[in-house]
């Protein structure tokens, strides 16, 4: 049974679940990420581009520039608006008709809102914006004259928010943004401004996020391409300052912050916290045009064909450090790791918008593609069957070792909380000894102080080799909590290590140089090179930090305090099959053992 933390001390890898529990939960009890199946479900096709999609219960609404839908092999007239059952794909009778492009949809209660280039809906004048009965398709009383082109809609806080390239509503000046009362349909006083087009909106309880190609919001110049305003007053929220490097095409928001799909030299998906600081970035070889979240996973769509294994790309967006195929669709876990999900859509423009349904556990994508996963899916596709991801929902047995140093057994060794009985035994030289340091209501292990010369005290803890400590080429994660002061750094200090770069390969976590920057290293059993992912920031500040190394397919990343710091490419076939002991605190007890001089707690290894 895994070691469980006492109150006041962090759990090993947040929580190692005891007994036969199969699902890992994050702090606070919230379920971690799942991912939908990459296999398309049954759904209608459309004979022209689909630009917008929205859910209402079991119903999916779409808008675009099509004139017919095909369901069950039968073509049915649908003029730029349609609805169908999300579970069965059966086309519904809902069939309002717009005389030009529908670019955006939003749903509130029994009303579906549409915005776009149209002048008429159902043969009745509706200039660029309309409300439609969610079951009848009949027009509501919402009717305004909009000067310009709306690009985005979102509802919340009793309002319908509209964004785009707009100069006036009913003759009243508006600068790319406007809002209407959901209760009455009247133009609302909400009127923030931008100096260029707004492409996207996202609503949270205390903010409306704006994304586009503008440089100023409400005349303030520090709001380049992404900003936040108050949902009632429109006042700029100066507590949010993000710095996207290129035009923002789409947004999604949750309690953690906001997610943006960017264009530019290649595309980017970026997660920002509520202050606007970057949490993670994924880079693609083409624009990211759509973004949505479901059960902790972020889904991205665009006209990219590949996802870069690092955040580096070059001319025309080409990935400079390696790439993996991701045709028009990709998925990212909560820490910014690229997931294996890869349905493979075709086309040039690719995916234009995404929508998710938490109730159904499904995701819908619309755009210009005609095949997905090798099957015909013209301009609309849906994915369901949400399942646990390797990186987020795991069996307790997948933790092949875990140590919190709070308990020992009779002979003084440290117990393995994973239940695999990989006991740690101290190996010492020159008077090195085990020293425990209080941490919270538990304890941590402190290694010998910094020293030079052949007579310095040495201490490592080792677990005997067993096959389940060698990951082969499977996904691998390992980490520890570390306390290191600036005076304790040296040319190199090992926190944990399994194997060497020759004779079976290795994986390790270390601190490099007197600057105190942590790094993750891996070397394969058939190569002599060691691939290093090194953080650019020091941890030698006398404070506790959580360090994690992640190998997922072609990428090795180092994570510091739950933030991905650096990712580097590694060969997909890289395999570690070492018959050497697993060590904590150094390679061994020889003179050149890369002795660690700080304190360590909560060491763990997860394979698969």
């Amino acid at each position: 049974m895994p070691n469980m933390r006492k109150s006041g001390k962090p759990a090993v890898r947040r929580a190692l679940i005891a007994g036969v529990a199969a699902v890992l939960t994050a702090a606070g009890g919230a379920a971690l990420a799942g991912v939908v199946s990459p296999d398309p479900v049954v759904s209608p096709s459309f004979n022209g581009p689909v630009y917008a999609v929205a859910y209402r219960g079991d119903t999916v609404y779409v808008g675009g520039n099509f004139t017919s839908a095909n369901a069950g092999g039968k073509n049915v007239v649908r003029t730029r608006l349609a609805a169908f059952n999300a579970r069965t794909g059966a086309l519904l009778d809902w069939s309002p008709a717009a005389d030009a492009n529908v670019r955006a949809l939003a749903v509130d209660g029994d009303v579906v809102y549409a915005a776009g280039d149209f002048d008429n809906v159902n043969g009745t004048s509706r200039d660029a914006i309309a409300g439609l009965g969610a079951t009848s398709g009949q027009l509501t009383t919402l009717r305004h004259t909009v000067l310009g082109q709306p690009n985005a809609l979102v509802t919340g806080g009793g309002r319908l928010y509209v964004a785009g390239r707009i100069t006036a509503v009913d003759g009243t000046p508006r600068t790319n943004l406007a809002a209407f009362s959901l209760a009455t349909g009247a133009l609302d006083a909400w009127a923030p401004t931008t100096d260029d087009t707004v492409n996207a909106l996202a609503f949270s309880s205390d903010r409306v996020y704006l994304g586009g190609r503008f440089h100023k919001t409400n005349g303030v110049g520090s709001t380049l391409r992404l900003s936040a305003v108050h949902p009632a007053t429109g006042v700029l929220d100066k507590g949010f300052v993000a710095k996207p490097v290129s035009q923002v095409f789409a947004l999604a928001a949750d309690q953690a912050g906001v997610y943006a799909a960017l264009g530019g030299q290649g595309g980017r998906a970026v997660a920002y916290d509520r202050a606007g600081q970057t949490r993670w970035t994924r880079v693609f070889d083409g624009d990211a045009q759509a973004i949505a979240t479901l059960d902790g996973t972020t889904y991205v769509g665009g006209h990219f064909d590949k996802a870069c294994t690092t955040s580096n790309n070059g001319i025309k967006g080409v990935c400079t450090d390696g790439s993996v195929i991701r045709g028009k669709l990709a998925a990212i876990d909560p820490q910014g790791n690229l997931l294996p999900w890869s349905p493979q859509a075709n086309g040039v423009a690719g995916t234009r918008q995404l929508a998710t349904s938490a109730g159904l556990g499904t995701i819908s994508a619309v755009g210009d593609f005609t095949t997905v996963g090798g099957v015909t899916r013209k301009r609309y596709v849906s994915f369901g069957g949400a399942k646990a991801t390797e990186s987020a929902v795991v069996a307790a047995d997948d933790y092949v070792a875990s140590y919190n140093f709070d308990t020992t057994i009779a002979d003084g060794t440290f117990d393995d909380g994973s239940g695999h009985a990989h006991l740690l035994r101290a190996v010492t030289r020159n008077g090195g000894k085990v020293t425990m340091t209080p941490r919270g209501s538990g304890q941590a292990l402190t290694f010998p102080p910094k020293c030079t010369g052949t007579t310095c005290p040495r201490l490592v803890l080792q677990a005997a080799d067993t096959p389940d400590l060698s990951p082969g080429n499977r996904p691998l994660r390992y980490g520890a909590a570390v306390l290191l002061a600036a005076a304790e750094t040296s040319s190199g200090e090992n926190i944990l290590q399994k194997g060497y770069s020759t004779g079976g390969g290795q994986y390790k976590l270390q601190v490099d140089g007197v600057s105190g920057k942590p790094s993750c290293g891996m070397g394969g059993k058939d190569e002599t090179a060691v691939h290093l992912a090194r953080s650019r920031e020091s941890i030698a500040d006398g404070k506790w930090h959580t360090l994690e190394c992640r190998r997922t397919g072609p990428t090795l990343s180092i994570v510091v305090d739950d933030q991905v710091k650096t990712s580097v490419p590694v060969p997909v076939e890289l395999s570690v099959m070492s018959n050497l002991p697993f060590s904590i605190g150094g390679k061994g007890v020889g003179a050149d053992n890369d002795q660690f001089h700080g304190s360590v707690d909560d060491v763990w290894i997860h394979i698969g």
Side-chain angles (χ1 to χ4, degrees):
M1 179 180 292
N3 290 323
M4 303 301 291
R5 278 285 178 236
K6 309 176 185 72
S7 175
K9 189 174 182 184
V12 177
R13 185 58 183 149
R14 297 179 183 252
L16 292 176
I17 297 179
V20 296
V23 176
L24 189 67
T25 56
L32 291 173
V35 65
V36 296
S37 168
D39 300 322
V41 301
V42 175
S43 60
S45 291
F46 299 88
N47 71 339
V50 181
Y51 300 138
V53 58
Y55 280 93
R56 177 180 178 265
D58 289 352
T59 301
V60 175
Y61 299 89
V62 294
N65 194 26
F66 51 85
T67 56
S68 72
N70 186 293
K74 181 181 179 181
N75 288 324
V76 181
V77 174
R78 289 292 185 271
T79 310
R80 301 182 180 88
L81 288 159
F84 49 93
N85 186 284
R87 297 181 185 274
T88 67
L91 198 65
L92 302 180
D93 291 336
W94 193 83
S95 57
D99 67 346
N101 294 339
V102 175
R103 297 184 178 276
L105 294 172
V107 177
D108 183 80
D110 295 329
V111 180
V112 178
Y113 295 96
D117 305 331
F118 51 82
D119 296 314
N120 295 278
V121 177
N122 293 344
T124 301
S125 176
R126 286 295 186 272
D127 183 10
I129 189 165
L132 300 156
T135 55
S136 69
Q138 298 300 306
L139 286 164
T140 70
T141 57
L142 180 73
R143 182 173 180 174
H144 296 278
T145 299
V146 179
L147 189 60
Q149 177 184 292
N151 291 332
L153 295 173
V154 72
T155 60
R159 295 174 179 81
L160 170 68
Y161 300 92
V162 185
R165 191 172 63 249
I166 300 168
T167 57
V169 177
D170 300 333
T172 301
R174 288 291 185 269
T175 310
N176 302 319
L177 295 155
F180 304 92
S181 167
L182 290 173
T184 66
L187 180 66
D188 192 83
W190 188 85
T193 65
T194 63
D195 64 341
D196 206 339
T197 304
V198 179
N199 296 323
L201 297 169
F203 181 86
S204 69
S205 59
D206 61 345
R207 287 174 172 170
V208 178
Y209 293 97
L210 319 174
R213 60 192 210 187
F214 52 84
H215 297 78
K216 296 180 180 180
T217 304
N218 293 351
V220 177
S222 61
T223 58
L224 182 67
R225 305 183 185 104
L226 180 58
S227 60
V229 297
H230 193 275
T233 65
V235 171
L236 180 68
D237 189 331
K238 295 183 179 179
F240 177 82
V241 180
K243 297 178 180 179
V245 297
S246 54
Q247 180 175 185
V248 175
F249 285 115
L251 295 172
D254 61 17
Q255 292 181 343
V258 64
Y259 306 81
L262 279 59
Q265 181 174 288
R268 281 169 164 74
V270 185
Y272 299 95
D273 66 18
R274 284 185 51 83
Q277 295 298 306
T278 299
R279 292 160 51 205
W280 53 254
T281 299
R282 295 304 321 181
V283 176
F284 304 89
D285 69 345
D287 288 348
Q289 301 173 144
I291 199 162
T293 62
L294 178 66
D295 296 334
T297 296
T298 301
Y299 295 89
V300 185
H303 67 76
F304 50 82
D305 295 308
K306 298 177 181 178
C308 303
T309 53
T310 71
S311 59
N312 300 321
N313 63 357
I315 297 173
K316 297 182 179 180
V318 173
C319 301
T320 56
D321 295 332
S323 62
V324 291
I325 298 296
R326 292 293 184 272
K328 321 304 179 190
L329 292 161
I332 302 163
D333 78 6
Q335 290 75 40
N337 297 300
L338 189 68
L339 292 169
W341 190 78
S342 182
Q344 289 300 103
N346 71 342
V348 177
T351 301
R352 294 183 180 270
Q353 194 175 98
L354 296 168
T356 60
S357 168
L360 299 176
T362 61
I363 177 171
S364 290
V366 298
D368 292 75
F369 48 81
T370 57
T371 65
V372 179
V375 298
T376 299
R377 288 295 184 271
K378 294 182 178 179
R379 293 130 193 145
Y380 174 87
V381 67
S382 180
F383 306 95
K387 61 182 181 179
T389 68
E390 290 179 342
S391 63
V393 183
V394 298
D397 284 348
D398 289 338
Y399 285 87
V400 297
S402 66
Y403 308 99
N404 63 21
F405 306 110
D406 290 345
T407 60
T408 59
I409 59 176
D411 64 357
T413 59
F414 289 99
D415 197 4
D416 172 15
S418 74
H420 288 272
H422 299 312
L423 304 181
L424 287 175
R425 291 180 171 84
V427 181
T428 65
R429 180 172 293 180
N430 299 336
K433 62 180 181 179
V434 172
T435 302
M436 306 311 299
T437 299
R439 184 182 177 216
S441 59
Q443 58 188 12
L445 177 67
T446 297
F447 289 88
K450 187 173 178 179
C451 172
T452 59
T454 59
T455 61
C456 291
R458 303 294 181 193
L459 166 68
V460 300
L461 275 68
Q462 291 186 333
D465 172 62
T466 60
D468 60 359
L469 289 173
S470 289
N473 61 4
R474 289 176 291 168
L476 170 69
R477 294 185 174 200
Y478 54 95
V482 173
L483 175 70
L484 187 67
E488 295 171 331
T489 63
S490 63
S491 59
E493 301 185 15
N494 272 21
I495 299 169
L496 64 86
Q497 181 166 333
K498 168 66 170 161
Y500 293 97
S501 57
T502 57
Q506 70 171 185
Y507 58 88
K508 62 181 178 178
L509 171 62
Q510 61 192 22
V511 177
D512 299 327
V514 294
S515 60
K517 297 176 181 178
S519 68
C520 301
M522 286 196 75
K525 62 183 180 64
D526 298 319
E527 60 180 354
T528 57
V530 177
H531 307 276
L532 286 177
R534 181 180 291 113
S535 173
R536 298 181 179 88
E537 301 171 10
S538 173
I539 60 163
D541 56 5
K543 300 177 182 178
W544 281 101
H545 295 278
T546 59
L547 307 180
E548 179 180 342
C549 301
R550 296 177 183 160
R551 185 269 175 94
T552 53
T555 305
L556 174 65
S557 302
I558 182 164
V559 183
V560 181
D561 297 328
D562 293 326
Q563 298 293 315
V564 177
K565 295 299 183 182
T566 302
S567 297
V568 298
V570 296
V572 174
E573 65 276 9
L574 186 152
S575 178
V576 178
M577 296 298 295
S578 172
N579 59 6
L580 295 171
F582 171 70
S583 297
I584 298 176
K587 294 183 292 188
V589 292
D592 184 23
N593 77 327
D594 291 336
Q595 179 70 60
F596 186 70
H597 299 300
S599 298
V600 171
D601 198 8
D602 293 344
V603 177
W604 57 274
I605 307 170
H606 173 267
I607 297 174

